[in-house]
Amino acid sequence: MREINFFKVILEKLKSSGYNILKFVAYGNFDDPDLKGYSQTDIQLFGIETKHCSNDGKSSVDVQLTVDTMTDLYRNENIDVFMVIASDRDYIPLIKAINLENKVSFAVTTKVHSNPVILSFAHQHQYIEDIFEFEANGISLRSSEEVGKEDSPIGVNEESITDELANKAFIVAQYLFRSPLWRTYKEGSGNKVGLYGFADTLRKNKLKTEVKSDIIHYLHVAHTLKFLTLVRDEHGMIYFEVGDDTDKVIGCR
């Protein structure tokens, strides 16, 4: 496995997913031999701010990251999504605080050391191992979920839609158009709302008894019924726009 530049790949992945990055900070004890491959100067060349924390232990990183995040949470209204790249459950109170302020929490963790509890609180989640997918010719910036789906069909056969499926499609479309993710996107201060990420958010917060693949199917049904529109961009990402019958969804209480 060749050496990879963690920060470069993360930045490219976020930008290709449509995120407008307002702030990116790397915290750590940069005197630690384990970080000798990452000098602060090298990291800063990517436009990433670095914060050297003391040698007093891991807690100094936790405290500094939490204090800075809470400051931005209450003072910077331009930030809609807070991403925390860490696997420690100590960040659960921070993620809950982000959620309470009607912001989107996004956790990026490792599969090996990730605490499963943190996944139940974050609105969105992705494993680092899925972001860094290795291929023979280098690193793919697509998640494992997206690989092979760039050419998958959008929508379903209208004849296969039962009344129950139509009702499910209507409900997930309502969740979309009433979500803070959609609101900030349409106000011009947020990013595109992706199909797979939003389905994951619904599964964790609204439709906990459903499996993610079924929720994705409901959203495809909603596209066919014109409650919403699924659009595939040049990177293969599928995101939402309004449909011909979106007004019926928004106007129903």
Side-chain angles (χ1 to χ4, degrees):
M1 182 182 298
R2 68 174 188 167
E3 183 179 356
I4 59 175
N5 192 313
F6 176 86
F7 297 101
K8 179 180 179 181
V9 175
I10 288 289
L11 277 172
E12 291 179 350
K13 173 65 180 178
L14 292 174
K15 290 177 181 178
S16 69
S17 297
Y19 285 100
N20 177 26
I21 304 170
L22 299 182
K23 188 174 183 180
F24 195 148
V25 185
Y27 298 83
N29 173 15
F30 290 96
D31 292 333
D32 191 321
D34 289 340
L35 295 179
K36 64 182 180 180
Y38 293 106
S39 73
Q40 294 189 69
T41 300
D42 290 339
I43 295 172
Q44 290 165 3
L45 290 175
F46 294 108
I48 299 171
E49 181 183 350
T50 59
K51 287 208 172 181
H52 172 68
C53 300
S54 70
N55 299 327
D56 295 335
K58 176 185 143 323
S59 61
S60 61
V61 172
D62 296 346
V63 171
Q64 188 65 60
L65 187 154
T66 299
V67 169
D68 289 351
T69 303
M70 293 298 290
T71 299
D72 286 329
L73 181 62
Y74 289 110
R75 292 186 179 179
N76 193 337
E77 61 182 15
N78 295 317
I79 299 178
D80 300 306
V81 181
F82 287 83
M83 175 178 284
V84 179
I85 305 176
S87 298
D88 199 318
R89 67 177 296 164
D90 290 348
Y91 292 108
I92 290 175
L94 176 60
I95 290 174
K96 291 170 68 175
I98 293 168
N99 297 345
L100 286 172
E101 291 301 309
N102 205 28
K103 302 293 185 178
V104 177
S105 58
F106 195 151
V108 178
T109 68
T110 63
K111 291 182 178 179
V112 177
H113 301 293
S114 176
N115 189 301
V117 179
I118 199 171
L119 310 187
S120 65
F121 286 96
H123 288 137
Q124 297 187 46
H125 170 262
Q126 190 163 26
Y127 288 115
I128 288 176
E129 290 88 343
D130 290 339
I131 295 175
F132 291 87
E133 181 180 350
F134 292 94
E135 297 179 335
N137 59 345
I139 301 171
S140 169
L141 298 181
R142 298 168 292 169
S143 71
S144 60
E145 178 183 46
E146 297 167 331
V147 173
K149 293 188 177 181
E150 294 88 341
D151 299 321
S152 60
I154 289 178
V156 301
N157 185 334
E158 194 165 358
E159 294 180 356
S160 69
I161 301 175
T162 63
D163 290 343
E164 181 181 2
L165 268 179
N167 184 57
K168 295 275 192 179
F170 190 87
I171 291 171
V172 295
Q174 279 192 323
Y175 281 136
L176 170 68
F177 295 124
R178 294 176 183 176
S179 70
L181 287 169
W182 177 260
R183 185 182 68 250
T184 55
Y185 168 55
K186 296 312 289 183
E187 288 174 351
S189 57
N191 303 292
K192 297 174 182 176
V193 184
L195 169 64
Y196 301 111
F198 184 69
D200 197 43
T201 299
L202 283 183
R203 182 183 60 81
K204 292 176 180 177
N205 296 279
K206 299 292 186 180
L207 303 175
K208 296 181 180 180
T209 61
E210 301 275 7
V211 296
K212 185 174 179 179
S213 58
D214 285 345
I215 296 172
I216 291 172
H217 183 66
Y218 303 152
L219 290 163
H220 277 278
V221 173
H223 169 86
T224 300
L225 295 176
K226 301 182 180 179
F227 294 152
L228 53 80
T229 300
L230 293 173
V231 181
R232 181 182 286 111
D233 67 14
E234 66 273 17
H235 302 292
M237 173 186 173
I238 300 176
Y239 64 96
F240 300 102
E241 288 294 350
V242 298
D244 291 344
D245 289 334
T246 293
D247 288 342
K248 295 179 182 179
V249 177
I250 296 175
C252 183
R253 294 289 177 180

